[in-house]
Amino acid sequence: MFDILQSDIIVMQELKIQRKDLRDDMVLLDGWDAYFSLPKHKKGYSGVGMYTRNSACAPIRAEEGLLGFLPSSEASGVLYRDMDEKESIGGYPSAAQLEGLGVDDPTALDAEGRCLILEFPAFVLLGVYCPANSNGQRDDFRHGFIRALDCRVRNLTKLRKRVVLVGDLNVNRDEMDGASALDDRRKGNISHEEYISTPNRRIFNQLLLGGEVVGQRDEGREQGVLLDTTRHFHPERRGMYTHWEQKINARPGNFGSRIDFILVCDAMREWLKDANTQDGLLGSDHCPVFIDFHEEVALEDRQVQLVDFMHPVATLINGNRETQLAPALSAKRMQEFDRRRSIKSMFAGASVKTAQPMTYTARQQKEEHMNTQAERAMEESSLPPVTPVHSPSAFDVAPPVTRGTEDVQSPTSLQSVPELKPIVDLKRRPAVAPSPRAMKRQKSNSTIQSHSRPSGQQSLRGFFRSASGNGTVRDTTSALTSDAGVDPVNGQLPLTTSVAELTTGNCTSEIDAIQTSDTMPEERASSTSKIPGGSPAREASPTNFEARAATHHSWNSLFSKPAAPLCESHDEPCKSMQTKKKGSNQGRSFWMCARPLGPSGQKESGSEWRCGTFIWCSDWGGGKK
């Protein structure tokens, strides 16, 4: 995935995992550092993660939480906001500011895993996942969070630190960033000014440079401080959405909203090279948003390489980048991953000097060859004599042939190849013909040759019955056993039976004769066969097949789901949905058009998008689904 994104810093939101869910393939990535802020209490809830490429950037500080009320990993449990100014990122709201935020429990707000902050020499990066609008159940918490975010960003700006804010803010700027905005206005019977002035949207627009604010600005928010990078490069583009509702399959029709942002301070405006959305990258109900900086940026009165500005000064020595210890919040420094290596890094150890090949002269090679032959001859003379074993199942072993080094033949010689001495295992026992395998005691011949079996399948033998030419059913397994004279105990053909007798059909039995392929079709039709035991075969008739087909159809219709109705506009099968909204119809299923919702967000008739077909499942198919 990282290769597809081609980024140096990747920020993820809504991870919905806990610390125990982290795996090696999430943390131990070669060339990357990983940082996580996960919920402390709720399971499968929120969560923010960041990945930084070591060759491009190295954070000098890292912390989680927005207000600084979580214990620091660097200072052995001291709160981030209580650490020394040189060791902390800073910008924490003061006591007076906390009172005005309306946050009841600052620690609980930080413990939800919604904010992760990394500080680089170039800027401070905030990865944020703001609370969503949950049908008005947590409006106070959501409003307090966005107020705290505004306060922290402004405090960092006052400290003359460059700020980059990335994340899912769950709020849009205006009607241009929401496909359902006009619909929402019409349903709520509100004007544009009222839509812009909703509490969370008003705070967000006051944070932005050029954000639309109705009336006088709030105290402490007299000026915007962050630039909307995507809108900066595409000011007039409509339909530039980053989120689509999955329940209504709104992405194909691009009926969504823009709630994912990358915001930078005004001092970094000239650093920007490009910014856009990647709406073609699937896999989530959100799409990625990216920005690209210039490789060389203006810093005060000089031009610097951004890659050098993203690392601490001590990590660059003579053009070689040294690996520094990552901040304590790094996932690689967690107890379960500390001093661990990935499988790939195990094969990238220190290089070992290979031994240089030794050169020999022709004389040295001949002397070494003679010494080897002498040692081999001494080993052969020390072995006891071996007597070859002559048996039908064993090969004759030729006696060893001793020859000197002068008897070696060239590969192109036409003389006979000398026989090689076999390697004999002195502990191996002589080969003994295996005794026939003991077979289980089977039923008596009277059972096998019984012919009084009633019609129909009474045993597994019925699976091997084949239909003969006149419609009768014949047990081919029994015929083969009887006709070929198979031993009922061992289940083997006698040695006196030849293959020709089996193929020509000369083998007969007292029961029946195997019908060969030489029989004419007329003879097959005229011959009358009987099932063993004298009972006549049941003839296949159209009536029997029709009865079986009717039975099969009735059983299928009883247990199968009813066929989906066709929608009104497209004559295509509908899809089944279930009502989850509380009320008298909660839990009921219904049929609706399976096509995605169109750009208008409304059900359309006569178009390629979803039509207005709606049928209760209880009204279709004779029963409630």
Side-chain angles (χ1 to χ4, degrees):
M1 182 185 68
F2 291 176
D3 296 336
I4 297 175
L5 297 176
Q6 297 181 354
S7 299
D8 297 322
I9 301 176
I10 299 175
V11 185
M12 300 180 180
Q13 301 86 30
E14 202 173 359
L15 299 180
K16 293 186 177 181
I17 60 174
Q18 292 182 290
R19 178 168 175 171
K20 65 181 182 60
D21 300 323
L22 293 175
R23 304 189 306 267
D24 289 359
D25 57 349
M26 299 179 183
V27 177
L28 303 178
L29 303 178
D30 291 327
W32 292 81
D33 270 336
Y35 302 85
F36 298 97
S37 177
L38 305 176
K40 304 295 185 294
H41 308 296
K42 295 185 178 181
K43 298 180 180 180
Y45 186 77
S46 64
V48 179
M50 288 189 187
Y51 289 89
T52 60
R53 192 190 299 270
N54 296 336
S55 60
C57 55
I60 55 179
R61 298 180 186 89
E63 64 180 51
E64 58 177 331
L66 193 58
L67 302 176
F69 278 88
L70 294 181
S72 169
S73 303
E74 296 278 2
S76 302
V78 179
L79 301 183
Y80 286 111
R81 60 185 302 111
D82 296 336
M83 294 174 58
D84 187 82
E85 294 182 359
K86 297 181 179 180
E87 298 179 357
S88 63
I89 296 178
Y92 310 103
S94 62
Q97 289 175 330
L98 286 175
E99 292 181 1
L101 295 179
V103 178
D104 297 334
D105 190 351
T107 304
L109 185 143
D110 284 353
E112 286 203 3
R114 294 186 176 274
C115 183
L116 183 62
I117 307 177
L118 299 183
E119 183 175 5
F120 301 90
F123 54 80
V124 176
L125 174 64
L126 289 87
V128 175
Y129 173 50
C130 289
N133 184 11
S134 304
N135 298 325
Q137 296 179 1
R138 303 187 71 193
D139 282 349
D140 293 340
F141 179 84
R142 184 186 181 207
H143 187 61
F145 186 90
I146 197 168
R147 289 170 65 93
L149 178 62
D150 175 83
C151 181
R152 182 72 185 271
V153 170
R154 293 182 181 276
N155 288 349
L156 289 172
T157 305
K158 292 178 182 179
L159 295 176
R160 303 182 63 83
K161 292 189 176 183
R162 303 174 189 86
V163 178
V164 177
L165 174 61
V166 181
D168 177 6
L169 303 184
N170 272 312
V171 63
N172 55 17
R173 296 181 57 172
D174 49 29
E175 294 92 338
M176 192 176 180
D177 288 340
S180 63
L182 296 178
D183 229 15
D184 296 339
R185 282 181 49 190
R186 184 171 59 254
K187 291 179 180 179
N189 194 21
I190 59 177
S191 63
H192 168 73
E193 289 74 15
E194 292 173 328
Y195 181 83
I196 289 296
S197 300
T198 54
N200 296 330
R201 190 171 290 111
R202 177 179 174 85
I203 295 176
F204 181 52
N205 277 312
Q206 291 184 93
L207 181 64
L208 296 177
L209 291 168
E212 184 179 0
V213 180
V214 178
Q216 187 177 1
R217 285 178 171 265
D218 300 340
E219 182 181 356
R221 305 187 182 98
E222 290 79 8
Q223 293 181 352
V225 294
L226 297 180
L227 176 68
D228 184 356
T229 57
T230 312
R231 188 58 70 189
H232 173 71
F233 282 92
H234 310 280
E236 303 298 331
R237 183 195 294 180
R238 293 186 175 273
M240 189 170 56
Y241 305 136
T242 62
H243 172 260
W244 300 267
E245 187 66 40
Q246 287 185 328
K247 294 180 180 179
I248 60 176
N249 194 17
R251 188 162 190 173
N254 196 27
F255 185 77
S257 58
R258 189 171 75 97
I259 57 178
D260 301 273
F261 298 88
I262 299 182
L263 313 176
V264 301
C265 62
D266 192 40
M268 301 176 64
R269 184 192 296 262
E270 300 300 327
W271 294 18
L272 297 174
K273 182 180 180 180
D274 189 18
N276 209 335
T277 63
Q278 292 179 306
D279 52 357
L281 189 59
L282 306 179
S284 170
D285 56 344
H286 294 255
C287 77
V289 184
F290 74 91
I291 62 172
D292 191 9
F293 291 120
H294 291 285
E295 295 181 0
E296 190 174 272
V297 298
L299 181 62
E300 297 177 353
D301 57 346
R302 69 183 191 278
Q303 295 291 118
V304 297
Q305 294 292 326
L306 184 58
V307 66
D308 296 334
F309 198 30
M310 292 294 293
H311 288 79
V313 179
T315 61
L316 188 63
I317 301 178
N318 298 328
N320 298 323
R321 213 166 295 284
E322 291 189 352
T323 303
Q324 297 290 327
L325 187 63
L329 193 60
S330 173
K332 290 185 177 180
R333 294 185 60 180
M334 292 181 178
Q335 184 177 3
E336 55 267 36
F337 299 104
D338 190 18
R339 298 183 181 181
R340 291 270 306 279
R341 294 191 304 169
S342 62
I343 296 178
K344 184 177 180 181
S345 64
M346 297 179 182
F347 298 93
S351 59
V352 181
K353 294 184 178 180
T354 57
Q356 298 293 334
M358 300 180 63
T359 57
Y360 293 92
T361 61
R363 182 176 180 182
Q364 291 175 343
Q365 292 179 0
K366 185 174 182 179
E367 291 178 356
E368 183 178 355
H369 185 65
M370 294 178 63
N371 294 335
T372 304
Q373 294 294 336
E375 293 175 0
R376 186 179 299 174
M378 293 178 62
E379 293 177 359
E380 293 174 354
S381 61
S382 62
L383 293 174
V386 180
T387 303
V389 180
H390 295 276
S391 64
S393 60
F395 294 99
D396 291 338
V397 182
V401 178
T402 307
R403 49 192 175 91
T405 56
E406 64 275 8
D407 294 333
V408 178
Q409 303 292 333
S410 64
T412 58
S413 176
L414 300 179
Q415 298 181 9
S416 59
V417 181
E419 297 184 11
L420 301 178
K421 179 179 178 179
I423 301 176
V424 181
D425 189 0
L426 299 179
K427 296 182 180 180
R428 182 178 297 173
R429 297 181 180 179
V432 181
S435 58
R437 195 175 199 179
M439 303 294 292
K440 292 184 178 180
R441 183 178 181 182
Q442 300 188 4
K443 296 182 180 180
S444 62
N445 296 341
S446 59
T447 306
I448 299 178
Q449 298 178 0
S450 175
H451 312 305
S452 60
R453 183 177 300 164
S455 61
Q457 179 182 332
Q458 300 297 328
S459 66
L460 293 177
R461 193 181 299 275
F463 284 102
F464 302 94
R465 294 182 179 180
S466 61
S468 59
N470 57 355
T472 60
V473 179
R474 189 168 183 272
D475 193 338
T476 57
T477 306
S478 300
L480 180 61
T481 304
S482 304
D483 299 345
V486 179
D487 185 3
V489 178
N490 296 329
Q492 299 178 354
L493 291 172
L495 298 178
T496 57
T497 305
S498 63
V499 179
E501 292 176 345
L502 292 176
T503 57
T504 57
N506 294 333
C507 297
T508 60
S509 65
E510 297 177 359
I511 302 175
D512 197 0
I514 299 179
Q515 184 178 5
T516 62
S517 61
D518 297 336
T519 307
M520 298 301 293
E522 294 80 7
E523 297 178 1
R524 296 180 186 176
S526 61
S527 62
T528 57
S529 302
K530 294 183 178 181
I531 296 178
S535 60
R538 182 173 54 184
E539 298 183 357
S541 64
T543 305
N544 293 336
F545 284 113
E546 291 176 359
R548 292 177 59 187
T551 304
H552 180 73
H553 177 72
S554 61
W555 281 106
N556 283 347
S557 61
L558 179 62
F559 290 102
S560 62
K561 295 181 180 180
L566 302 181
C567 64
E568 300 171 356
S569 298
H570 313 106
D571 287 335
E572 297 176 352
C574 296
K575 67 176 181 180
S576 176
M577 302 290 289
Q578 191 177 42
T579 307
K580 295 184 179 180
K581 186 177 180 180
K582 292 184 178 181
S584 59
N585 291 325
Q586 185 178 11
R588 294 187 65 185
S589 299
F590 59 90
W591 296 101
M592 62 180 296
C593 181
R595 292 202 175 191
L597 205 62
S600 65
Q602 303 294 328
K603 299 176 182 179
E604 305 173 5
S605 178
S607 67
E608 60 177 330
W609 305 109
R610 179 178 299 171
C611 64
T613 303
F614 181 89
I615 305 173
W616 288 111
C617 290
S618 57
D619 299 335
W620 178 265
K624 188 175 180 179
K625 188 173 178 178

